[in-house]
Structures are given as C-alpha cells and as structure tokens.
Amino acid sequence: MIKKAAGFGYVIVFALYLFGVLLLLANGFSRLNSEAKDSENWVQQQMTNAISEIRDFYEVKLSSSIPVSDCDRFLRDSMPLLLASPYIRSISVAQGGVIVCSSISKQTLKQINNWKASGKPLELRYVTQTPFSELFPAHRQAILSLHFETKGFYGVYVAVYPESVFRTLGAPRFFQTEIRFENATFYSDGRIIDKKNSLPLGQLFFVDSDISITSFTKYIFYNYGVLLIAWTFIMLMSAKTLVRYIHSFSLDYWQIRKAIKHSQFHPYIQPVVNDSGEITGGEVLVRWIHPKKGLISPADFIDQVEENGQIVEITSILIQKCLLAFSKTNVAESNQHFRIGFNVCPIQFDSNTLCLDIEHFQSVMADKPVSLLIEVTERKEFSSNEKYRNAIHELRSRDVLVALDDFGTGHCSLKYLHETEVDIIKIDMMYVATIESGNTKILDNIISLARSLDVLILAEGVETQAQFDYLKARNIERYQGYLFGKPLPIDEFIQKYFR
Ligand code: C2E
Ligand code: CA
Ligand code: CA
C-alpha cells in the first residue's frame, strides 16, 4: 500500500558507502600529511643543526686559521668537523674567484668559474660546477658558503650534501620531501633541479613536501586496502537489508508522520461478547484513513510503526480518541460493564506515554463502568525481560487486565505465557477455524492448558454458529468475530451499542 521509490534506498546506501570511503580517504590524507610534516620537520632540523654546527665551528676554530698562508694548519683544524658531521663533504677557502685551500683537493689557487660572492655573511648556494668538477665530474654538490668580509673577502665553502640528510632519513615512500635553496631544489628521491627559488628574506633554505595523486593512491591501498575491501564487501552484502531498513525509516516514516499530524489514524472497535452473545467489551483496531488512498488496513503499516516506534504515538492517539468518544457517552445507563482493549507491543513499555495515557483514561472514566484491557503480542522475536515483566505487573496492579494476543501462533509462544502473569489468553482465529475441519487437537490442548493456568479465554475470529457452539460447550468466556460484529468506526460503534 505504501509506495516505495525503489531507487531511493539504493541512493542512500550508495551515499553511505561513499561517505565511508571519503572518511577513509580523509583519514588517510591527514595521516599521510602528518607523516610528511614530520619528515619536513626532521629535515629542517637536521639542516639547521648542520649549519649551526659549521657556523659554531667556524667561529671558534677555523676563523683563527684564516688567512691561509698555512693551508696545512687550516686543513688540520677543519678535520674534526669533517669527521664529525655526516653531511659535510669538504671545506675549502676561496678569495675572490680563486680557491686557496681545499680539503678535497689540497690544491691551491684554483680558479672557480661560477663563484659569485654575494656579500651576504651567510649563504647557501648550490653550485652545479664545483671547482673540482674535473676531479669528480659526476658529482654534483651543494656548497654552503660562509662568507666573512672582515677577513679580507675570504669565503669558506663547506660542502653539505642534502642527499645525506635524505639518506639518513630513508627516502619516504609515499611523498617527496624537498629542500629549496636560493638557486636549486633537492628532492628526497635524489633529483636535483636547478631553478631559482624565492626564499623569504634571511632564510637559507626552505623545506617542503609534495604528495602526488599516485603516491596518495598507493598509500591508501597499502594502508587501507583491506579495510576498503571489507567496507565494500559489507556494503554489498548488506545493501538489501539496509535498503529495507532505510525505507522503513524514510519514506514511510515521513508519510506516517504526516498522517499522525493530520489525525488520519482512527479507532475502529470490534465487539467482544459473552456466551449469551451480550456485549462485554470491544477491541480497538486502528485504521488509517488516507485522503487519497482511502482506508488502509493495519496489516500494511503496523509492522513498520512497531519497528520504528511510531506506534507509541499512534496508540496514544487511539486512546485519546476513544476517551473523548466514551466520555461523551452515557455508558452507565446502558447498565453493563464495558472493557475496552488496546493492542500494545512490548517496545511501548520503554516509554511512559502508555502509562500516562492509561492514568489519564482511568481518571476521566473513574465514575463510568469502563475499564481497560491491554492486548500484548510480539510480532518480532520474543524478548521477555525484567523490564517487560515489571510493566505487565504494574498494569495489573492498576486494574488493567492483560491479555496475551494471538496465542498459539509464532507471535506468542508458550514461553511467553510461562514467564508473564496474564489474565486472558486470546486464541488465534487460525485455531478457531479448525473447528469446521474437525481437526481440533491443538485448539483443545490450548483450552486445557489455559484451564490449568487459571486464565480466561477469548476466542478470536468466530465466524460461524458451529464454531460458537463448539466453544460454548467448552465454557469459553469471551468471543470476538464477524459472527457478532465487524470492527466499526468508534462513533458508529457507540451509536449501535450504547444508544
Ligand atoms: P488482532 O489483534 O489479532 O486483531 C484481530 C484482527 O482480526 C483484526 O484485524 C480484525 O478485524 C480481524 N477479525 C476479527 N474478527 C474476525 C473474523 O471473524 N474473521 C476474520 N477473518 N478476521 C477477523 P485488523 O483490524 O486488520 O488488525 C490486524 C492486526 O493489526 C491486529 O490483529 C493487531 O495485531 C494489529 N493492530 C490493529 N490495531 C492495532 C493497534 O492499535 N496497535 C497495535 N500494536 N496493533 C494493532
Ligand atoms: Ca488484538
Ligand atoms: Ca489476535
């Protein structure tokens, strides 16, 4: 009856799947980023340390060896720094464009072609063609030039290998860390690219990192591959169930919400009679009267509203509407006690709405011979627990009778009866229907079981005189069925039985 847009649930499930994947990607991205940041910090620190070590060393030891009339002494003094620092390849001294002393060649007075003294006190400059290019043609090195003008334009070249920084770090697998100098960039995969970088004023180098799409994808599959596959598998396997669940909570939920708001749920009442056929009460059965679709039977929505909890509100509406109708009726005059039954499912014991409605009903009807019956059934799996038993106990202590509905069907097991105190059991109509066929074994057993437990019996779905006679012969206390009357809108019911 309630139309379902087939695609809707799948769209939500797919969105849920995407959401999971995005969450995973976002987590991966932030982790990869923080790994990259760690690597940057580490490189930054190593470079800073190396430079400050060199500087300190220069200021304490080497500056006294310059000028370099004694190259041997300069080399001897610089040896401890060379040995101690893994990043330093060589130390040389130049004046103007000429190397005067170098730890790598021990040669003096060698012309340096691309030496450009900038006049800055400290400069980190990558020199593609080292003064020793003919000695080590394959080797490219970066040269940290310490330039002290006070010592007559001597320049001290300290060759630092950023590659060694990366080598110590171990090149990161999923991203590139890079060190940018004024005129070149070193990458953690070993590449060196000559290009001018604009560094902030006074900064010798700049460390950054670069995450490419390919490396990010690799990182995700490497670290989250199993999770991604598991998530895909879970979503594929549970898509159908989820779609069903979403439907029960989405489209129908909102339609029913609207129906509640527009007061489209109405109580119908079916009479309950004694063995003389006199009315003793009635069962309230809900009907959804839709402005376009007309009358919708509870079979089409009751499972959903019990599952999503909207039944709480619906029952409350039914109780109030019945209360309003009965409070306006002069029941006393009709001179009979009337027991009105409401169907309740166990989740309704989780909130106190039912309890408050019952209290209100009883207080308004205090001076009228109208009392309450609660019919409990369990359409889903049986779940008797302490809370549930207490609720039943509480109802009975407030003069509310409790009936076990649909007794003998899958919805209501013997265990149910065994664990709860009840006043009435309602024999399901499927057993009443067996009377005609003569196969009444189960029906007879249910009756004798009820007798042994000392509870009243109400037979449901009595449609024929033969059924009524059979049950009457077994002293069944109450009857309900089309033989006595169909469910009627509450006003018609009152009109028929109380006027
Ligand atoms: P139920 O509680 O077992 O109610 C009896 C059902 O049998 C009603 O169907 C009634 O119209 C039908 N019935 C009564 N006498 C006869 C008969 O002689 N022959 C036949 N063939 N059927 C008969 P209805 O009204 O369609 O309700 C279906 C079920 O929906 C109810 O079964 C009850 O479990 C549930 N329901 C109805 N109203 C409510 C409600 O307000 N709250 C809850 N939680 N459930 C409700
Ligand atoms: Ca019932
Ligand atoms: Ca029933």
Side-chain angles (χ1 to χ4, degrees):
M1 178 67 71
I2 296 168
K3 222 175 153 292
K4 286 169 183 173
F8 180 73
Y10 285 101
V11 168
I12 297 216
V13 169
F14 186 64
L16 204 71
Y17 173 72
L18 275 190
F19 178 72
V21 171
L22 282 179
L23 214 67
L24 204 131
L25 293 184
N27 185 273
F29 188 69
S30 103
R31 268 182 57 190
L32 184 58
N33 254 315
S34 96
E35 274 178 37
K37 267 273 156 304
D38 286 350
S39 164
E40 275 173 37
N41 289 343
W42 198 88
V43 171
Q44 173 84 36
Q45 201 178 32
Q46 295 306 307
M47 286 297 292
T48 311
N49 287 351
I51 291 168
S52 77
E53 252 174 56
I54 293 162
R55 208 175 177 180
D56 290 353
F57 195 82
Y58 172 82
E59 273 156 16
V60 175
K61 269 268 181 194
L62 287 185
S63 59
S64 61
S65 315
I66 303 170
V68 283
S69 49
D70 187 353
C71 180
D72 283 343
R73 188 182 148 213
F74 176 80
L75 293 178
R76 207 173 46 244
D77 284 354
S78 61
M79 205 46 82
L81 180 62
L82 268 174
L83 295 176
S85 172
Y87 310 112
I88 298 170
R89 176 68 205 277
S90 66
I91 302 174
S92 315
V93 182
Q95 189 175 33
V98 178
I99 286 272
V100 287
C101 179
S102 168
S103 69
I104 203 165
S105 65
K106 293 197 178 129
Q107 287 181 19
T108 53
L109 301 175
K110 186 156 180 42
Q111 192 65 40
I112 316 169
N113 295 324
N114 55 353
W115 163 247
K116 288 183 208 83
S118 64
K120 291 180 196 163
L122 194 63
E123 185 183 32
L124 197 55
R125 176 168 280 272
Y126 173 66
V127 182
T128 35
Q129 286 175 349
T130 74
F132 315 109
S133 50
E134 65 278 16
L135 287 174
F136 308 99
H139 206 90
R140 313 178 102 202
Q141 46 198 308
I143 296 187
L144 176 70
S145 163
L146 291 156
H147 195 84
F148 294 86
E149 289 179 46
T150 48
K151 295 284 182 184
F153 296 99
Y154 283 121
V156 175
Y157 291 76
V158 180
V160 173
Y161 295 135
E163 301 101 299
S164 344
V165 177
F166 290 131
R167 219 174 293 130
T168 327
L169 175 73
R173 287 174 68 178
F174 299 108
F175 55 89
Q176 294 291 331
T177 307
E178 58 195 52
I179 310 175
R180 289 186 218 147
F181 307 106
E182 194 170 278
N183 59 341
T185 304
F186 281 67
Y187 293 89
S188 51
D189 64 358
R191 280 177 300 144
I192 299 168
I193 291 176
D194 286 295
K195 82 167 188 280
K196 208 133 178 70
N197 286 308
S198 52
L199 297 181
L201 208 72
Q203 204 164 321
L204 294 176
F205 66 96
F206 183 75
V207 182
D208 201 359
S209 51
D210 178 30
I211 298 172
S212 73
I213 291 281
T214 347
S215 64
F216 175 60
T217 316
K218 272 192 209 150
Y219 179 83
I220 289 293
F221 275 98
Y222 186 82
N223 289 286
Y224 297 84
V226 177
L227 211 68
L228 210 67
I229 291 169
W231 178 238
T232 309
F233 185 74
I234 289 170
M235 290 309 276
L236 279 178
M237 293 317 284
S238 55
K240 263 208 169 119
T241 325
L242 267 170
V243 165
R244 224 177 299 137
Y245 190 71
I246 288 163
H247 274 141
S248 77
F249 266 94
S250 51
L251 274 187
D252 302 348
Y253 182 90
W254 294 110
Q255 287 193 36
I256 291 166
R257 240 323 346 103
K258 205 166 132 196
I260 291 174
K261 203 174 144 212
H262 293 105
S263 190
Q264 291 168 5
F265 291 105
H266 299 279
Y268 273 48
I269 305 193
Q270 185 176 30
V272 169
V273 302
N274 61 17
D275 57 358
S276 317
E278 294 157 351
I279 186 162
T280 62
E283 176 179 5
V284 177
L285 295 157
V286 66
R287 297 291 181 266
W288 176 358
I289 301 175
H290 193 277
K292 288 200 192 107
K293 296 173 191 158
L295 194 143
I296 302 175
S297 121
D300 292 323
F301 60 86
I302 213 79
D303 279 350
Q304 289 156 46
V305 296
E306 285 189 357
E307 206 163 298
N308 68 24
Q310 287 176 311
I311 189 65
V312 174
E313 238 176 309
I314 293 173
T315 306
S316 183
I317 290 168
L318 297 180
I319 297 179
Q320 321 234 353
K321 286 189 175 175
C322 288
L323 178 59
L324 188 69
F326 274 101
S327 61
K328 290 190 293 197
T329 307
N330 203 348
V331 189
E333 260 176 28
S334 65
N335 205 21
Q336 50 192 338
H337 189 94
F338 188 82
R339 197 165 279 278
I340 181 168
F342 290 94
N343 289 289
V344 159
C345 69
I347 63 146
Q348 295 184 252
F349 299 130
D350 291 341
S351 82
N352 66 346
T353 310
L354 179 69
C355 222
L356 294 174
D357 286 333
I358 287 175
E359 258 175 39
H360 182 58
F361 189 99
Q362 288 180 327
S363 75
V364 175
M365 301 298 281
D367 56 346
K368 295 199 173 174
V370 177
S371 55
L372 288 170
L373 169 78
I374 292 298
E375 300 186 8
V376 221
T377 189
E378 176 77 275
R379 253 172 277 275
K380 290 266 136 41
E381 208 178 307
F382 176 70
S383 64
S384 178
N385 55 31
E386 197 66 22
K387 196 203 258 167
Y388 172 69
R389 277 203 299 277
N390 289 345
I392 300 269
H393 186 79
E394 170 84 9
L395 284 173
R396 296 182 79 228
S397 72
R398 291 171 180 225
D399 275 341
V400 176
L401 289 195
V402 174
L404 272 192
D405 207 353
D406 307 326
F407 189 74
T409 68
H411 302 318
C412 182
S413 65
L414 279 176
K415 187 172 167 234
Y416 217 162
L417 187 60
H418 168 70
E419 294 189 357
T420 15
E421 322 156 50
V422 296
D423 306 285
I424 300 172
I425 61 170
K426 290 188 81 167
I427 301 182
D428 193 77
M429 65 179 86
M430 72 185 266
Y431 298 109
V432 173
T434 61
I435 294 171
E436 246 82 59
S437 68
N439 184 12
T440 54
K441 269 197 189 131
I442 300 177
L443 174 66
D444 297 341
N445 276 303
I446 292 174
I447 295 172
S448 57
L449 176 70
R451 288 291 163 255
S452 71
L453 291 170
D454 206 20
V455 294
L456 301 180
I457 302 175
L458 188 156
E460 281 189 290
V462 181
E463 290 180 343
T464 65
Q465 187 63 40
Q467 290 169 347
F468 187 36
D469 292 342
Y470 183 94
L471 295 162
K472 236 182 349 180
R474 280 152 190 82
N475 301 317
I476 302 304
E477 285 84 4
R478 295 284 183 268
Y479 305 83
Q480 184 180 348
Y482 293 166
L483 182 65
F484 313 103
K486 290 201 168 184
L488 290 176
I490 186 157
D491 293 331
E492 275 179 47
F493 182 88
I494 288 176
Q495 193 70 34
K496 183 169 176 187
Y497 293 102
F498 293 97
R499 296 267 151 85

